[in-house]
Amino acid sequence: MSAIKESVDIARRPEDVFTYVTNPEHLPEWQESIVSVRPVGDAPLTVGSRVVVTRRIGRREVPMTTEVTELDPPRSWRLDGIDGPIRGHVKGTIEPIAEGERSRVTLSVDFEEHGIGRVIGPLVIRPHARKEMPQNELTLKRLLEGGA
């Protein structure tokens, strides 16, 4: 299956957007299904850092460990799931627009499914991600543009 990809333009400089979206503490603020985030180790994030993200999936809260595999400020980052039956692979890019005064944020998520994940991934997780991603990006836009 192909990755789910969404973009949003934000009236903030790429550096500001990158700093916000790559700070794990902010994830529950703009991602609807995230219940909590716990960095494994000290901040700031670097390639190799790990974060335990607990998401609400249906009625369950499921912790998942992700690892930072790319960090190229203020242009891109990548997080890869390393455990569980469904491992998310998230790639984020920030493109400067309007002479660097605005940013185009593109998020792409794909899933690696193991065991029971091969069943619930296509039936539950992918449809939920397709529905949630555009809403998450609009929330991110609202927060960063000061509409909170």
Side-chain angles (χ1 to χ4, degrees):
M1 294 191 177
S2 61
I4 300 164
K5 191 173 183 178
E6 293 286 337
S7 296
V8 66
D9 291 354
I10 298 175
R12 290 289 296 270
R13 300 180 56 75
E15 297 81 8
D16 298 335
V17 175
F18 186 87
T19 298
Y20 184 86
V21 298
T22 59
N23 181 335
E25 292 177 11
H26 293 300
L27 291 173
E29 296 169 6
W30 63 277
Q31 291 192 25
E32 180 183 319
S33 64
I34 293 183
V35 175
S36 67
V37 175
R38 183 179 53 83
V40 178
D42 297 324
L45 287 185
T46 60
V47 171
S49 293
R50 292 185 176 183
V51 177
V52 177
V53 177
T54 300
R55 289 188 180 271
R56 180 168 287 112
I57 300 172
R59 292 186 215 129
R60 296 187 59 207
E61 291 184 4
V62 181
M64 302 168 213
T65 305
T66 60
E67 182 174 342
V68 178
T69 56
E70 178 186 323
L71 208 52
D72 183 18
R75 295 179 219 32
S76 65
W77 71 98
R78 182 177 169 97
L79 302 170
D80 289 305
I82 60 170
D83 61 7
I86 299 175
R87 300 171 192 177
H89 300 288
V90 179
K91 171 75 175 178
T93 60
I94 302 172
E95 174 188 351
I97 54 178
E99 298 179 15
E101 294 302 314
R102 296 177 56 86
S103 303
R104 178 163 296 131
V105 178
T106 302
L107 298 174
S108 174
V109 64
D110 206 355
F111 300 95
E112 179 184 341
E113 297 146 346
H114 299 268
I116 189 69
R118 290 188 176 119
V119 174
I120 62 174
L123 296 175
V124 177
I125 303 303
R126 285 181 185 273
H128 181 78
R130 270 193 194 85
K131 179 181 175 188
E132 185 180 313
M133 275 184 61
Q135 295 169 354
N136 289 346
E137 285 187 341
L138 290 176
T139 300
L140 177 64
K141 176 181 177 71
R142 181 179 49 79
L143 287 168
L144 289 176
E145 290 181 353

